[in-house]
Structures are given as structure tokens and as C-alpha cells.
């Protein structure tokens, strides 16, 4: 391995590490009964949150249009991960909420990510992995859960 540093390689390696983890996650989700869940869906589940949200607010959180958010909601509703309900505070509004299947998928994802982290700790050593995590916290914003990545990667 070359010790020569090339600036362009850092973001590509970080993205590749992300991709490896997410691909492994989705392979395991498929094996455990969630074959239709895609990486975008994880962002959607997080953006919906425990209290639900509207399609417009979901679009804003994800950095996509209300129409794109609506199409994703339609897909997830068809797959049984979300449901639409009337807002108890305003009967004119529809709230999107995670179903039991959606909550289960999020919980399963968290367990799988813990196992994947443990795999990395076995490969790199717990202390080294903790150092990497600490270093990444030092060079990234304090709020690690920016959910607008799908929109940020978009073409518009």
C-alpha cells in the first residue's frame, strides 16, 4: 500500500466504507425478512420519527420535493412499513407513521449495525476503531444525523 496521500481519496474511502456497511446491512435485512428495504428507506424511517410527519415535512427533512416524498411514502405503505392517518390536531392533514413492521425494521437495523461495528472492531481493534470514531467526530458537525443526504445527492 502506498503511503502517499491523495486528497481525492479521502472522501472516496469514507463513501466506500459507508457503502460497505450499508450493503452488508441490507443483505442481512433481506435475509431476515426485509428484502424490499432500500438505503433511502432508512433515511425515510429516521425522518418520520416516532411521532410521524407530513409528506411536506418529510420532503423538507430529506431535501427532496413533496412529490418525491409522496412517491416514497406510497411505496413504503404498499410494503407495510408506513401508514397514513388523520392528524389528531388537524383533520385536514395526513400524518405518516411507521407501522409495527417499520419499527421492527429500524430496531433490526440497529442490531445489525452493532454487529457490523463489532466486526470492524475485531478487524481493526476496539481501541483503533474508537480512535477513528473520535477523530471523525472531531472533523464533522456535532449533529451526525443529517437526513437530507438523498436530496443532496440529487441532480437538481
Amino acid at each position: 500500500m502506498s503511503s502517499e496521500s491523495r486528497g481525492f481519496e479521502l472522501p472516496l474511502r469514507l463513501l466506500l466504507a459507508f457503502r460497505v456497511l450499508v450493503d452488508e446491512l441490507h443483505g442481512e435485512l433481506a435475509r431476515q425478512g426485509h428484502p424490499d428495504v432500500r438505503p433511502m428507506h432508512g433515511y425515510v424511517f429516521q425522518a418520520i420519527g416516532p411521532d410521524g410527519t407530513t409528506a411536506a415535512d418529510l420532503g423538507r427533512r430529506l431535501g427532496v420535493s413533496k412529490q418525491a416524498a409522496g412517491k416514497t411514502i406510497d411505496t413504503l405503505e404498499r410494503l407495510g412499513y408506513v401508514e397514513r392517518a388523520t392528524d389528531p390536531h388537524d383533520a385536514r392533514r395526513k400524518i405518516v407513521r411507521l407501522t409495527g413492521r417499520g419499527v421492527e425494521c429500524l430496531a433490526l437495523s440497529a442490531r445489525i449495525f452493532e454487529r457490523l461495528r463489532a466486526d470492524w472492531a475485531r478487524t481493526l481493534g476496539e481501541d483503533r476503531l474508537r480512535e477513528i470514531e473520535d477523530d471523525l467526530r472531531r472533523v464533522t458537525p456535532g449533529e451526525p444525523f443529517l437526513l437530507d443526504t438523498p436530496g443532496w445527492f440529487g441532480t437538481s
Side-chain angles (χ1 to χ4, degrees), residues 52-82:
T53 190
T54 65
D57 285 342
L58 181 63
R60 277 191 288 280
R61 290 178 189 166
L62 296 174
V64 301
S65 69
K66 178 182 174 183
Q67 292 77 14
K71 285 179 68 172
T72 302
I73 292 166
D74 290 342
T75 298
L76 291 172
E77 188 174 36
R78 192 172 55 256
L79 295 171
Y81 291 101
V82 302

PDB file of all heavy atoms in Angstrom, residues 52-82:
ATOM      1  N   GLY A  52     -44.338  10.605  13.768  1.00  0.00           N
ATOM      2  CA  GLY A  52     -44.895  10.761  12.438  1.00  0.00           C
ATOM      3  C   GLY A  52     -44.618  12.143  11.881  1.00  0.00           C
ATOM      4  O   GLY A  52     -44.087  13.026  12.562  1.00  0.00           O
ATOM      5  N   THR A  53     -44.987  12.333  10.629  1.00  0.00           N
ATOM      6  CA  THR A  53     -44.757  13.605   9.954  1.00  0.00           C
ATOM      7  C   THR A  53     -45.686  13.708   8.749  1.00  0.00           C
ATOM      8  O   THR A  53     -46.338  12.731   8.390  1.00  0.00           O
ATOM      9  CB  THR A  53     -43.272  13.728   9.518  1.00  0.00           C
ATOM     10  OG1 THR A  53     -43.031  15.059   9.074  1.00  0.00           O
ATOM     11  CG2 THR A  53     -42.915  12.754   8.415  1.00  0.00           C
ATOM     12  N   THR A  54     -45.721  14.862   8.134  1.00  0.00           N
ATOM     13  CA  THR A  54     -46.488  15.028   6.895  1.00  0.00           C
ATOM     14  C   THR A  54     -45.557  14.783   5.710  1.00  0.00           C
ATOM     15  O   THR A  54     -44.329  14.813   5.849  1.00  0.00           O
ATOM     16  CB  THR A  54     -47.059  16.451   6.790  1.00  0.00           C
ATOM     17  OG1 THR A  54     -45.972  17.375   6.685  1.00  0.00           O
ATOM     18  CG2 THR A  54     -47.951  16.786   7.980  1.00  0.00           C
ATOM     19  N   ALA A  55     -46.146  14.593   4.542  1.00  0.00           N
ATOM     20  CA  ALA A  55     -45.345  14.395   3.329  1.00  0.00           C
ATOM     21  C   ALA A  55     -44.496  15.639   3.044  1.00  0.00           C
ATOM     22  O   ALA A  55     -43.330  15.527   2.654  1.00  0.00           O
ATOM     23  CB  ALA A  55     -46.241  14.068   2.138  1.00  0.00           C
ATOM     24  N   ALA A  56     -45.057  16.817   3.259  1.00  0.00           N
ATOM     25  CA  ALA A  56     -44.309  18.052   3.009  1.00  0.00           C
ATOM     26  C   ALA A  56     -43.110  18.164   3.947  1.00  0.00           C
ATOM     27  O   ALA A  56     -41.995  18.485   3.517  1.00  0.00           O
ATOM     28  CB  ALA A  56     -45.221  19.267   3.153  1.00  0.00           C
ATOM     29  N   ASP A  57     -43.331  17.901   5.228  1.00  0.00           N
ATOM     30  CA  ASP A  57     -42.228  17.967   6.190  1.00  0.00           C
ATOM     31  C   ASP A  57     -41.196  16.877   5.911  1.00  0.00           C
ATOM     32  O   ASP A  57     -39.991  17.109   6.048  1.00  0.00           O
ATOM     33  CB  ASP A  57     -42.736  17.841   7.621  1.00  0.00           C
ATOM     34  CG  ASP A  57     -43.418  19.103   8.116  1.00  0.00           C
ATOM     35  OD1 ASP A  57     -43.214  20.174   7.508  1.00  0.00           O
ATOM     36  OD2 ASP A  57     -44.165  19.015   9.111  1.00  0.00           O
ATOM     37  N   LEU A  58     -41.659  15.712   5.508  1.00  0.00           N
ATOM     38  CA  LEU A  58     -40.737  14.636   5.168  1.00  0.00           C
ATOM     39  C   LEU A  58     -39.844  15.060   4.004  1.00  0.00           C
ATOM     40  O   LEU A  58     -38.623  14.875   4.047  1.00  0.00           O
ATOM     41  CB  LEU A  58     -41.506  13.361   4.820  1.00  0.00           C
ATOM     42  CG  LEU A  58     -40.653  12.147   4.457  1.00  0.00           C
ATOM     43  CD1 LEU A  58     -39.788  11.708   5.633  1.00  0.00           C
ATOM     44  CD2 LEU A  58     -41.555  11.002   4.002  1.00  0.00           C
ATOM     45  N   GLY A  59     -40.441  15.653   2.975  1.00  0.00           N
ATOM     46  CA  GLY A  59     -39.666  16.137   1.843  1.00  0.00           C
ATOM     47  C   GLY A  59     -38.616  17.145   2.271  1.00  0.00           C
ATOM     48  O   GLY A  59     -37.456  17.073   1.834  1.00  0.00           O
ATOM     49  N   ARG A  60     -39.000  18.082   3.150  1.00  0.00           N
ATOM     50  CA  ARG A  60     -38.042  19.090   3.635  1.00  0.00           C
ATOM     51  C   ARG A  60     -36.892  18.428   4.396  1.00  0.00           C
ATOM     52  O   ARG A  60     -35.729  18.767   4.192  1.00  0.00           O
ATOM     53  CB  ARG A  60     -38.745  20.118   4.516  1.00  0.00           C
ATOM     54  CG  ARG A  60     -39.423  21.219   3.735  1.00  0.00           C
ATOM     55  CD  ARG A  60     -39.874  22.355   4.639  1.00  0.00           C
ATOM     56  NE  ARG A  60     -41.026  22.000   5.461  1.00  0.00           N
ATOM     57  CZ  ARG A  60     -42.287  21.998   5.029  1.00  0.00           C
ATOM     58  NH1 ARG A  60     -42.552  22.319   3.771  1.00  0.00           N
ATOM     59  NH2 ARG A  60     -43.272  21.678   5.828  1.00  0.00           N
ATOM     60  N   ARG A  61     -37.219  17.488   5.265  1.00  0.00           N
ATOM     61  CA  ARG A  61     -36.173  16.811   6.056  1.00  0.00           C
ATOM     62  C   ARG A  61     -35.207  16.027   5.178  1.00  0.00           C
ATOM     63  O   ARG A  61     -34.030  15.914   5.495  1.00  0.00           O
ATOM     64  CB  ARG A  61     -36.808  15.872   7.074  1.00  0.00           C
ATOM     65  CG  ARG A  61     -37.516  16.590   8.192  1.00  0.00           C
ATOM     66  CD  ARG A  61     -38.172  15.615   9.146  1.00  0.00           C
ATOM     67  NE  ARG A  61     -39.022  16.336  10.071  1.00  0.00           N
ATOM     68  CZ  ARG A  61     -39.919  15.781  10.854  1.00  0.00           C
ATOM     69  NH1 ARG A  61     -40.082  14.464  10.840  1.00  0.00           N
ATOM     70  NH2 ARG A  61     -40.651  16.499  11.663  1.00  0.00           N
ATOM     71  N   LEU A  62     -35.733  15.455   4.106  1.00  0.00           N
ATOM     72  CA  LEU A  62     -34.903  14.641   3.212  1.00  0.00           C
ATOM     73  C   LEU A  62     -34.234  15.464   2.117  1.00  0.00           C
ATOM     74  O   LEU A  62     -33.368  14.940   1.412  1.00  0.00           O
ATOM     75  CB  LEU A  62     -35.752  13.543   2.567  1.00  0.00           C
ATOM     76  CG  LEU A  62     -36.344  12.503   3.500  1.00  0.00           C
ATOM     77  CD1 LEU A  62     -37.273  11.571   2.731  1.00  0.00           C
ATOM     78  CD2 LEU A  62     -35.254  11.712   4.209  1.00  0.00           C
ATOM     79  N   GLY A  63     -34.648  16.713   1.951  1.00  0.00           N
ATOM     80  CA  GLY A  63     -34.095  17.538   0.882  1.00  0.00           C
ATOM     81  C   GLY A  63     -34.617  17.138  -0.485  1.00  0.00           C
ATOM     82  O   GLY A  63     -33.920  17.286  -1.486  1.00  0.00           O
ATOM     83  N   VAL A  64     -35.859  16.632  -0.527  1.00  0.00           N
ATOM     84  CA  VAL A  64     -36.488  16.239  -1.790  1.00  0.00           C
ATOM     85  C   VAL A  64     -37.844  16.934  -1.886  1.00  0.00           C
ATOM     86  O   VAL A  64     -38.342  17.486  -0.917  1.00  0.00           O
ATOM     87  CB  VAL A  64     -36.658  14.698  -1.910  1.00  0.00           C
ATOM     88  CG1 VAL A  64     -35.312  13.992  -1.822  1.00  0.00           C
ATOM     89  CG2 VAL A  64     -37.621  14.155  -0.865  1.00  0.00           C
ATOM     90  N   SER A  65     -38.448  16.873  -3.051  1.00  0.00           N
ATOM     91  CA  SER A  65     -39.754  17.505  -3.235  1.00  0.00           C
ATOM     92  C   SER A  65     -40.837  16.739  -2.476  1.00  0.00           C
ATOM     93  O   SER A  65     -40.681  15.562  -2.139  1.00  0.00           O
ATOM     94  CB  SER A  65     -40.116  17.546  -4.720  1.00  0.00           C
ATOM     95  OG  SER A  65     -40.372  16.231  -5.190  1.00  0.00           O
ATOM     96  N   LYS A  66     -41.953  17.441  -2.236  1.00  0.00           N
ATOM     97  CA  LYS A  66     -43.107  16.799  -1.600  1.00  0.00           C
ATOM     98  C   LYS A  66     -43.586  15.626  -2.459  1.00  0.00           C
ATOM     99  O   LYS A  66     -43.986  14.592  -1.939  1.00  0.00           O
ATOM    100  CB  LYS A  66     -44.226  17.827  -1.408  1.00  0.00           C
ATOM    101  CG  LYS A  66     -45.485  17.251  -0.808  1.00  0.00           C
ATOM    102  CD  LYS A  66     -46.567  18.307  -0.679  1.00  0.00           C
ATOM    103  CE  LYS A  66     -47.869  17.695  -0.213  1.00  0.00           C
ATOM    104  NZ  LYS A  66     -48.947  18.678  -0.149  1.00  0.00           N
ATOM    105  N   GLN A  67     -43.508  15.786  -3.784  1.00  0.00           N
ATOM    106  CA  GLN A  67     -43.944  14.723  -4.691  1.00  0.00           C
ATOM    107  C   GLN A  67     -43.038  13.496  -4.567  1.00  0.00           C
ATOM    108  O   GLN A  67     -43.521  12.360  -4.541  1.00  0.00           O
ATOM    109  CB  GLN A  67     -43.966  15.227  -6.141  1.00  0.00           C
ATOM    110  CG  GLN A  67     -45.023  16.265  -6.425  1.00  0.00           C
ATOM    111  CD  GLN A  67     -44.657  17.668  -5.905  1.00  0.00           C
ATOM    112  OE1 GLN A  67     -43.515  17.957  -5.557  1.00  0.00           O
ATOM    113  NE2 GLN A  67     -45.668  18.531  -5.819  1.00  0.00           N
ATOM    114  N   ALA A  68     -41.734  13.720  -4.489  1.00  0.00           N
ATOM    115  CA  ALA A  68     -40.799  12.592  -4.325  1.00  0.00           C
ATOM    116  C   ALA A  68     -41.037  11.904  -2.990  1.00  0.00           C
ATOM    117  O   ALA A  68     -41.037  10.668  -2.907  1.00  0.00           O
ATOM    118  CB  ALA A  68     -39.354  13.069  -4.432  1.00  0.00           C
ATOM    119  N   ALA A  69     -41.262  12.705  -1.949  1.00  0.00           N
ATOM    120  CA  ALA A  69     -41.561  12.123  -0.633  1.00  0.00           C
ATOM    121  C   ALA A  69     -42.852  11.312  -0.712  1.00  0.00           C
ATOM    122  O   ALA A  69     -42.939  10.202  -0.163  1.00  0.00           O
ATOM    123  CB  ALA A  69     -41.664  13.213   0.421  1.00  0.00           C
ATOM    124  N   GLY A  70     -43.860  11.841  -1.403  1.00  0.00           N
ATOM    125  CA  GLY A  70     -45.139  11.141  -1.543  1.00  0.00           C
ATOM    126  C   GLY A  70     -44.997   9.810  -2.254  1.00  0.00           C
ATOM    127  O   GLY A  70     -45.610   8.814  -1.869  1.00  0.00           O
ATOM    128  N   LYS A  71     -44.171   9.775  -3.299  1.00  0.00           N
ATOM    129  CA  LYS A  71     -43.946   8.509  -4.016  1.00  0.00           C
ATOM    130  C   LYS A  71     -43.267   7.479  -3.112  1.00  0.00           C
ATOM    131  O   LYS A  71     -43.619   6.298  -3.123  1.00  0.00           O
ATOM    132  CB  LYS A  71     -43.097   8.750  -5.267  1.00  0.00           C
ATOM    133  CG  LYS A  71     -43.856   9.395  -6.410  1.00  0.00           C
ATOM    134  CD  LYS A  71     -42.985   9.629  -7.613  1.00  0.00           C
ATOM    135  CE  LYS A  71     -42.602   8.301  -8.232  1.00  0.00           C
ATOM    136  NZ  LYS A  71     -41.899   8.464  -9.515  1.00  0.00           N
ATOM    137  N   THR A  72     -42.319   7.939  -2.312  1.00  0.00           N
ATOM    138  CA  THR A  72     -41.640   7.030  -1.392  1.00  0.00           C
ATOM    139  C   THR A  72     -42.613   6.534  -0.327  1.00  0.00           C
ATOM    140  O   THR A  72     -42.609   5.347   0.016  1.00  0.00           O
ATOM    141  CB  THR A  72     -40.426   7.726  -0.750  1.00  0.00           C
ATOM    142  OG1 THR A  72     -39.539   8.151  -1.786  1.00  0.00           O
ATOM    143  CG2 THR A  72     -39.693   6.798   0.193  1.00  0.00           C
ATOM    144  N   ILE A  73     -43.455   7.423   0.165  1.00  0.00           N
ATOM    145  CA  ILE A  73     -44.476   7.020   1.143  1.00  0.00           C
ATOM    146  C   ILE A  73     -45.399   5.976   0.526  1.00  0.00           C
ATOM    147  O   ILE A  73     -45.723   4.968   1.171  1.00  0.00           O
ATOM    148  CB  ILE A  73     -45.278   8.248   1.634  1.00  0.00           C
ATOM    149  CG1 ILE A  73     -44.388   9.163   2.477  1.00  0.00           C
ATOM    150  CG2 ILE A  73     -46.515   7.807   2.420  1.00  0.00           C
ATOM    151  CD1 ILE A  73     -44.975  10.547   2.711  1.00  0.00           C
ATOM    152  N   ASP A  74     -45.826   6.196  -0.712  1.00  0.00           N
ATOM    153  CA  ASP A  74     -46.687   5.219  -1.394  1.00  0.00           C
ATOM    154  C   ASP A  74     -46.027   3.842  -1.429  1.00  0.00           C
ATOM    155  O   ASP A  74     -46.662   2.827  -1.132  1.00  0.00           O
ATOM    156  CB  ASP A  74     -46.994   5.658  -2.827  1.00  0.00           C
ATOM    157  CG  ASP A  74     -47.908   6.870  -2.912  1.00  0.00           C
ATOM    158  OD1 ASP A  74     -48.583   7.190  -1.905  1.00  0.00           O
ATOM    159  OD2 ASP A  74     -47.937   7.496  -3.990  1.00  0.00           O
ATOM    160  N   THR A  75     -44.755   3.815  -1.799  1.00  0.00           N
ATOM    161  CA  THR A  75     -44.019   2.546  -1.876  1.00  0.00           C
ATOM    162  C   THR A  75     -43.944   1.886  -0.505  1.00  0.00           C
ATOM    163  O   THR A  75     -44.228   0.688  -0.367  1.00  0.00           O
ATOM    164  CB  THR A  75     -42.593   2.783  -2.422  1.00  0.00           C
ATOM    165  OG1 THR A  75     -42.692   3.305  -3.742  1.00  0.00           O
ATOM    166  CG2 THR A  75     -41.774   1.499  -2.427  1.00  0.00           C
ATOM    167  N   LEU A  76     -43.573   2.655   0.502  1.00  0.00           N
ATOM    168  CA  LEU A  76     -43.431   2.087   1.851  1.00  0.00           C
ATOM    169  C   LEU A  76     -44.775   1.672   2.435  1.00  0.00           C
ATOM    170  O   LEU A  76     -44.848   0.700   3.198  1.00  0.00           O
ATOM    171  CB  LEU A  76     -42.709   3.079   2.761  1.00  0.00           C
ATOM    172  CG  LEU A  76     -41.235   3.285   2.430  1.00  0.00           C
ATOM    173  CD1 LEU A  76     -40.652   4.431   3.250  1.00  0.00           C
ATOM    174  CD2 LEU A  76     -40.449   2.002   2.643  1.00  0.00           C
ATOM    175  N   GLU A  77     -45.824   2.372   2.074  1.00  0.00           N
ATOM    176  CA  GLU A  77     -47.162   1.980   2.529  1.00  0.00           C
ATOM    177  C   GLU A  77     -47.559   0.650   1.888  1.00  0.00           C
ATOM    178  O   GLU A  77     -48.061  -0.248   2.570  1.00  0.00           O
ATOM    179  CB  GLU A  77     -48.173   3.073   2.182  1.00  0.00           C
ATOM    180  CG  GLU A  77     -49.548   2.846   2.775  1.00  0.00           C
ATOM    181  CD  GLU A  77     -50.472   4.026   2.536  1.00  0.00           C
ATOM    182  OE1 GLU A  77     -50.403   4.663   1.452  1.00  0.00           O
ATOM    183  OE2 GLU A  77     -51.271   4.309   3.441  1.00  0.00           O
ATOM    184  N   ARG A  78     -47.288   0.508   0.606  1.00  0.00           N
ATOM    185  CA  ARG A  78     -47.582  -0.741  -0.107  1.00  0.00           C
ATOM    186  C   ARG A  78     -46.794  -1.915   0.492  1.00  0.00           C
ATOM    187  O   ARG A  78     -47.290  -3.033   0.574  1.00  0.00           O
ATOM    188  CB  ARG A  78     -47.259  -0.558  -1.588  1.00  0.00           C
ATOM    189  CG  ARG A  78     -47.762  -1.651  -2.490  1.00  0.00           C
ATOM    190  CD  ARG A  78     -47.598  -1.333  -3.979  1.00  0.00           C
ATOM    191  NE  ARG A  78     -46.237  -1.006  -4.382  1.00  0.00           N
ATOM    192  CZ  ARG A  78     -45.773   0.208  -4.652  1.00  0.00           C
ATOM    193  NH1 ARG A  78     -46.574   1.259  -4.581  1.00  0.00           N
ATOM    194  NH2 ARG A  78     -44.524   0.409  -5.008  1.00  0.00           N
ATOM    195  N   LEU A  79     -45.568  -1.653   0.954  1.00  0.00           N
ATOM    196  CA  LEU A  79     -44.728  -2.697   1.558  1.00  0.00           C
ATOM    197  C   LEU A  79     -45.051  -2.947   3.025  1.00  0.00           C
ATOM    198  O   LEU A  79     -44.502  -3.874   3.631  1.00  0.00           O
ATOM    199  CB  LEU A  79     -43.246  -2.316   1.412  1.00  0.00           C
ATOM    200  CG  LEU A  79     -42.709  -2.268  -0.018  1.00  0.00           C
ATOM    201  CD1 LEU A  79     -41.307  -1.662  -0.045  1.00  0.00           C
ATOM    202  CD2 LEU A  79     -42.719  -3.656  -0.648  1.00  0.00           C
ATOM    203  N   GLY A  80     -45.909  -2.097   3.615  1.00  0.00           N
ATOM    204  CA  GLY A  80     -46.332  -2.315   5.001  1.00  0.00           C
ATOM    205  C   GLY A  80     -45.458  -1.670   6.060  1.00  0.00           C
ATOM    206  O   GLY A  80     -45.584  -1.986   7.245  1.00  0.00           O
ATOM    207  N   TYR A  81     -44.593  -0.727   5.674  1.00  0.00           N
ATOM    208  CA  TYR A  81     -43.695  -0.088   6.630  1.00  0.00           C
ATOM    209  C   TYR A  81     -44.228   1.213   7.217  1.00  0.00           C
ATOM    210  O   TYR A  81     -43.793   1.639   8.279  1.00  0.00           O
ATOM    211  CB  TYR A  81     -42.327   0.180   5.986  1.00  0.00           C
ATOM    212  CG  TYR A  81     -41.570  -1.088   5.718  1.00  0.00           C
ATOM    213  CD1 TYR A  81     -41.515  -1.638   4.448  1.00  0.00           C
ATOM    214  CD2 TYR A  81     -40.915  -1.756   6.743  1.00  0.00           C
ATOM    215  CE1 TYR A  81     -40.826  -2.808   4.199  1.00  0.00           C
ATOM    216  CE2 TYR A  81     -40.225  -2.932   6.512  1.00  0.00           C
ATOM    217  CZ  TYR A  81     -40.188  -3.455   5.240  1.00  0.00           C
ATOM    218  OH  TYR A  81     -39.515  -4.618   4.996  1.00  0.00           O
ATOM    219  N   VAL A  82     -45.143   1.868   6.500  1.00  0.00           N
ATOM    220  CA  VAL A  82     -45.731   3.115   6.983  1.00  0.00           C
ATOM    221  C   VAL A  82     -47.237   3.069   6.744  1.00  0.00           C
ATOM    222  O   VAL A  82     -47.738   2.270   5.951  1.00  0.00           O
ATOM    223  CB  VAL A  82     -45.133   4.376   6.304  1.00  0.00           C
ATOM    224  CG1 VAL A  82     -43.623   4.455   6.512  1.00  0.00           C
ATOM    225  CG2 VAL A  82     -45.491   4.454   4.835  1.00  0.00           C
TER     226      VAL A  82
END
